[in-house]
């Protein structure tokens, strides 16, 4: 029985070694938006979250740049497909009997329709990626907002020497006809 328990512990240690390895690139995904937890984790593990947020923001910018490039290429393919389709389906009376379009009419029809379909799908996909990756609701905007919160909290923690803030505010209770001071201590 002890040998089985030892074998199970050994297997668990081998399977979980990636989490214990400090050089592994397995970062917890729940730190992506919550800068308070990120700050607490950074103080405990000394992790550079500036680079982490900058990498996330740069990855989103690269995705938009890639979608723009794919959109341009898809637009060119769609344009070529429409041009080939128009040439292939135009009236036979206007073309010469020995022209290239007349001899390869079926190839131009199939190729033009295929290029138009493929280009349109690529164009729609890239436009969707650009629309969802930019603006207020994009991941990049949320990463930038979380990074700004993180930088502000980090600067607040660096400014305070003791790590605590004392806030004294006046309070007035109109229903109870009392007045006084409220003392808040923030750590």
């Amino acid at each position: 029985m002890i040998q089985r328990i030892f074998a199970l512990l050994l297997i668990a240690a081998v399977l979980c070694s990636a989490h214990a390895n400090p050089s592994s690139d397995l970062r917890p995904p729940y730190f992506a938006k919550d800068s308070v937890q990120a700050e607490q984790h950074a103080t405990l593990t000394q992790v550079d979250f500036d680079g982490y947020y900058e990498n996330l923001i740069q990855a989103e910018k690269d995705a938009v740049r890639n979608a723009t490039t794919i959109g341009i290429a898809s637009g060119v393919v769609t344009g070529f497909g429409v041009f080939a389709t128009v040439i292939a389906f135009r009236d036979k009376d206007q073309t010469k009997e020995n022209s290239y379009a007349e001899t390869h009419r079926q190839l131009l029809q199939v190729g033009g329709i295929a290029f138009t379909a493929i280009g349109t799908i690529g164009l729609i996909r890239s436009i969707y990626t650009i629309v969802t990756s930019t603006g207020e609701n994009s991941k990049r905007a949320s990463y930038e907002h979380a990074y700004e919160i993180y930088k502000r909290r980090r600067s607040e923690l660096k400014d305070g020497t003791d790590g605590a803030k004392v806030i004294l505010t006046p309070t007035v209770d109109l229903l109870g006809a009392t007045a006084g001071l409220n003392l808040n201590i923030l750590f």
Side-chain angles (χ1 to χ4, degrees):
M1 183 68 177
I2 292 175
Q3 292 174 346
R4 288 182 184 171
I5 292 173
F6 182 70
L8 288 174
L9 287 175
L10 184 64
I11 291 171
V14 169
L15 292 177
C16 295
S17 66
H19 293 289
N21 187 4
S23 65
S24 70
D25 196 24
L26 297 174
R27 294 187 179 123
Y30 52 86
F31 290 135
K33 292 185 180 178
D34 192 356
S35 63
V36 175
Q37 286 183 348
E39 180 64 36
Q40 291 170 351
H41 188 265
T43 58
L44 294 175
T45 61
Q46 301 300 325
V47 174
D48 178 29
F49 276 94
D50 287 326
Y52 179 71
Y53 282 119
E54 289 169 358
N55 288 340
L56 288 174
I57 292 168
Q58 188 61 38
E60 291 297 318
K61 287 180 181 177
D62 291 341
V64 170
R65 188 177 304 121
N66 188 20
T68 303
T69 305
I70 290 173
I72 291 170
S74 296
V76 169
V77 169
T78 303
F80 178 75
V82 168
F83 176 73
T85 305
V86 167
I87 294 295
F89 283 109
R90 77 177 171 184
D91 192 17
K92 293 180 183 180
D93 294 337
Q94 296 175 358
T95 61
K96 299 177 186 175
E97 290 298 320
N98 293 331
S99 69
Y100 179 81
E102 186 61 36
T103 55
H104 297 91
R105 183 174 298 276
Q106 291 178 347
L107 178 67
L108 284 174
Q109 289 173 349
V110 171
I113 292 172
F115 279 132
T116 303
I118 291 170
T120 304
I121 291 170
L123 195 60
I124 289 171
R125 181 179 174 273
S126 65
I127 288 173
Y128 173 77
T129 303
I130 290 170
V131 167
T132 57
S133 295
T134 57
E136 294 294 322
N137 296 328
S138 68
K139 288 182 184 178
R140 186 180 70 182
S142 66
Y143 293 150
E144 289 173 349
H145 180 67
Y147 185 43
E148 291 300 320
I149 291 172
Y150 168 73
K151 287 193 294 188
R152 185 174 57 233
R153 293 221 2 110
R154 185 182 60 199
S155 67
E156 288 174 359
L157 290 175
K158 286 183 181 178
D159 291 342
T161 57
D162 56 358
K165 288 184 180 180
V166 177
I167 300 173
L168 189 63
T169 56
T171 58
V172 177
D173 184 13
L174 297 176
L175 295 176
T178 59
L181 293 174
N182 188 11
L183 177 68
N184 292 328
I185 301 174
L186 303 175
F187 294 97

